[in-house]
Amino acid sequence: MTEVKEQVALITIFGGTGDLANRKLYPSLYHLFTKGFLKENFAVIGTARRPWTNDFFREKVVESLKGIEKEGFEPEEFASHFYYQSHDVTNRESYVELKNLSDELDKKYELQGNRLFYLAMAPNFFGTIASRLKSEGFVDNAGFSRLIIEKPFGRDLASAEELNESLRQAFDESEIYRIDHYLGKEMIQNISVIRFANSIIESLWNNRYIDNVQVTLSETLGVEDRGRYYEESGALRDMVQNHILQIVSLLAMEPPIKLTTQEIRHEKVRALRSLRVIEGDDVYKYFVRGQYGPGTVDGKELLGYRQADNVNPDSNTETFVAAKLMIDNFRWSGVPFYIRTGKRLAKKATQIAIQFKNVPMNLFGSNHSLGGNVLVIHIQPDEGITLHMNVKKPGQGMLTMPVNLNYAHSSPDGMNTPEAYEKLIQDCLNGDATYFSHWDEVSLSWNFIDKVATAWSNTKEHFPNYTSGTMGPKEADELVSQDGFKWFD
């Protein structure tokens, strides 16, 4: 996991006129440019069906940087490295023109044949694009060839296997970077440091001292304009299969021999293999699903999921998932990993709460309860760590009170920590795949999710079952309380 100061590459973005490119990719590349990771020897080709010119494309790139201009750096200077190619992903002639432009820019900017292809478009085109990149000689250069693909990576295990096979016809597994922006978040990457750089934490990181682990990814927004996509995915496929299971694997994995891509991935795969597969009627014992209905938040009337555009008025799609996951290995046997994620919830937060076992005996009186020890990793919107402890209450007697030891995480210069896409694009340019999903992780997570999805597909739920602005259906609270716990707030 070495850092390289400057990278030389041609970056081709399929879907260069899309929302992802404008909101995330171009600002991220600009930050890399201002920090010196990209200098004179780089170029970017944006492709899409629209008949744009280079000048118009560059205007759009500059427009996407409004509000983040850095002193001493002109957005126009950055945008001068950008070129546009009107492109039909199914047409061979488009690839011939794209190849000619790529070779021309390689010579102009002395890019040494290094190629990064970013597929920021519909997944049904991934296989077609990969095969054309192979057949038209895009990957036959002297430098590296790397492919970044966005989720969803398939809709189930069968479609994921089919997609992976089509990609592997053109790219080796080591060249495929399946991006999960959650893995680029600073506090997600901090999990390994918190665990393995602190003996006081790692020595307690097991079933002898931990009661339960909770992972919460809650959103206050609804599906907005993503109704058509959400009808196909739902919260289970959209959030649990990738983001949440990736976080669980980082929390549950054994210490790697070394902090290298291969060793970290090996331990994450081992953790996912230890994940108890839930199927059939057991799904209803371990999983809860929900769908938000209308509600009022801050005096504003909010529509239910079924009233959103492009959503079936009788939809059976879940917008909320809570579950009790079990890791069947020596370290975690008996420790539940509770997860929950949903839309239109009361708070926007991504956090991990590790709840430690209570002391064997309360020495401070039966009528005086002790607060539990909880280590909370805050991922968003705030970044940091909180440790909940008990101390003596000031004054006479031996009464206790809870206190919080807080650490707010920020970069050394006081600015916000790097945007997740910025970190991951930089990692890909450096050839560091540590925080990208390996195929083994993807296949194991889909195998787990498919069993749950199959059980749910055979049952019609009484939706909606939670009101907008709440923290989900009451069954989610019961899932935790039946084990004697409650969701950490």
Side-chain angles (χ1 to χ4, degrees):
M1 304 194 335
T2 57
E3 297 246 348
V4 177
K5 184 60 179 174
E6 180 185 359
Q7 278 297 330
V8 176
L10 172 62
I11 303 169
T12 303
I13 300 175
F14 291 86
T17 62
D19 183 61
L20 174 65
N22 281 286
R23 287 192 307 110
K24 298 295 184 181
L25 304 188
Y26 300 148
S28 295
L29 291 172
Y30 180 65
H31 287 308
L32 294 178
F33 177 71
T34 60
K35 294 174 181 178
F37 295 109
L38 297 174
K39 292 184 178 179
E40 291 302 316
N41 302 108
F42 85 97
V44 179
I45 300 177
T47 75
R49 296 185 68 95
R50 297 177 183 179
W52 287 3
T53 63
N54 287 339
D55 289 340
F56 186 76
F57 180 48
R58 289 166 184 165
E59 290 175 10
K60 289 293 184 181
V61 171
V62 171
E63 189 178 306
S64 73
L65 307 177
K66 288 291 174 59
I68 63 170
E69 296 93 338
K70 299 287 184 70
E71 186 177 350
F73 293 92
E74 294 294 333
E76 289 77 11
E77 177 189 358
F78 167 73
S80 69
H81 292 256
F82 281 65
Y83 298 81
Y84 186 78
Q85 172 76 57
S86 183
H87 188 80
D88 179 355
V89 297
T90 63
N91 185 289
R92 179 180 177 275
E93 289 303 316
S94 289
Y95 290 93
V96 173
E97 294 175 9
L98 184 61
K99 179 67 164 56
N100 291 336
L101 176 59
S102 300
D103 292 341
E104 177 185 327
L105 295 179
D106 191 281
K107 293 178 181 178
K108 179 177 180 178
Y109 291 97
E110 300 179 358
L111 303 178
Q112 303 170 22
N114 293 331
R115 301 285 191 271
L116 172 58
F117 305 99
Y118 200 123
L119 307 191
M121 56 191 312
N124 53 300
F125 293 116
F126 288 177
T128 300
I129 294 172
S131 64
R132 285 296 189 184
L133 291 177
K134 175 68 172 179
S135 64
E136 301 307 320
F138 284 84
V139 297
D140 298 332
N141 299 295
F144 63 71
S145 294
R146 294 169 188 153
L147 180 74
I148 296 182
I149 57 174
E150 284 281 340
K151 72 165 192 171
F153 195 85
R155 190 180 183 277
D156 50 27
L157 180 57
S159 60
E161 288 177 332
E162 181 180 351
L163 174 56
N164 192 60
E165 183 61 31
S166 66
L167 296 180
R168 291 294 298 275
Q169 298 296 322
F171 294 87
D172 185 77
E173 174 63 30
S174 63
E175 298 173 322
I176 301 173
Y177 289 69
R178 302 172 188 84
I179 199 167
D180 182 341
H181 69 274
Y182 266 78
L183 296 184
K185 294 183 181 295
E186 191 71 16
M187 290 310 297
I188 292 293
Q189 297 190 1
N190 227 320
I191 291 173
S192 296
V193 179
I194 293 169
R195 283 189 59 183
F196 305 132
N198 298 287
S199 61
I200 192 173
I201 298 295
E202 179 55 27
S203 61
L204 304 178
W205 206 264
N206 54 62
N207 55 10
R208 286 174 292 170
Y209 299 102
I210 293 178
D211 244 352
N212 68 86
V213 178
Q214 299 182 13
V215 179
T216 297
L217 280 69
S218 61
E219 299 178 78
T220 54
L221 292 176
V223 294
E224 311 308 314
D225 58 355
R226 300 175 70 215
R228 182 174 287 105
Y229 165 75
Y230 221 79
E231 278 290 271
E232 292 294 320
S233 64
L236 183 70
R237 294 182 174 92
D238 185 53
M239 299 295 288
V240 180
Q241 183 271 330
N242 41 71
H243 304 325
I244 289 183
L245 289 185
Q246 282 289 327
I247 293 173
V248 169
S249 69
L250 285 170
L251 294 168
M253 74 180 193
E254 293 295 316
I257 298 171
K258 294 180 291 187
L259 287 178
T260 61
T261 299
Q262 183 176 358
E263 295 301 333
I264 291 175
R265 280 179 162 180
H266 176 69
E267 297 302 340
K268 287 173 65 182
V269 168
R270 286 183 63 197
L272 290 172
R273 283 177 177 156
S274 300
L275 183 62
R276 184 185 301 175
V277 176
I278 310 299
E279 54 187 319
D281 292 339
D282 284 343
V283 168
Y284 300 94
K285 299 177 184 177
Y286 288 86
F287 278 79
V288 171
R289 58 174 169 161
Q291 184 189 97
Y292 67 85
T296 303
V297 176
D298 296 330
K300 182 180 179 181
E301 296 288 336
L302 300 175
L303 298 176
Y305 173 71
R306 292 181 174 183
Q307 285 78 56
D309 292 339
N310 300 312
V311 170
N312 186 339
D314 195 34
S315 175
N316 197 44
T317 300
E318 77 285 350
T319 62
F320 176 95
V321 175
K324 172 183 173 181
L325 308 183
M326 302 302 295
I327 310 291
D328 292 328
N329 60 21
F330 196 82
R331 179 185 291 264
W332 295 112
S333 179
V335 178
F337 281 64
Y338 298 109
I339 64 169
R340 61 176 173 172
T341 183
K343 291 189 174 296
R344 279 281 185 252
L345 300 182
K347 301 175 183 176
K348 175 179 175 60
T350 300
Q351 72 177 28
I352 300 162
I354 296 95
Q355 298 195 346
F356 294 92
K357 294 182 183 295
N358 291 328
V359 293
M361 183 173 68
N362 185 354
L363 300 175
F364 301 93
S366 58
N367 61 345
H368 183 70
S369 62
L370 293 174
N373 295 142
V374 186
L375 176 65
V376 184
I377 302 173
H378 307 279
I379 299 166
Q380 68 177 27
D382 301 316
E383 293 181 314
I385 308 166
T386 303
L387 179 61
H388 296 251
M389 298 180 62
N390 297 302
V391 299
K392 180 184 176 299
K393 190 173 184 179
Q396 294 293 327
M398 289 296 288
L399 298 178
T400 67
M401 68 177 188
V403 297
N404 300 338
L405 305 181
N406 292 312
Y407 164 66
H409 188 82
S410 61
S411 59
D413 61 4
M415 303 298 288
N416 290 334
T417 52
E419 163 65 36
Y421 277 95
E422 176 190 337
K423 292 174 67 66
L424 292 173
I425 291 173
Q426 181 188 346
D427 282 348
C428 183
L429 288 169
N430 289 344
D432 183 353
T434 303
Y435 291 102
F436 292 83
S437 302
H438 189 274
W439 166 245
D440 290 345
E441 300 169 47
V442 174
S443 61
L444 285 167
S445 61
W446 271 126
N447 181 63
F448 177 82
I449 292 299
D450 279 357
K451 305 294 193 300
V452 180
T454 298
W456 282 353
S457 66
N458 297 324
T459 306
K460 183 72 173 177
E461 290 285 353
H462 297 291
F463 284 155
N465 62 353
Y466 71 95
T467 304
S468 292
T470 64
M471 284 306 289
K474 60 180 176 57
E475 288 83 2
D477 296 325
E478 295 168 356
L479 178 73
V480 179
S481 64
Q482 68 186 3
D483 295 330
F485 304 121
K486 63 180 181 178
W487 289 107
F488 180 80
D489 187 2

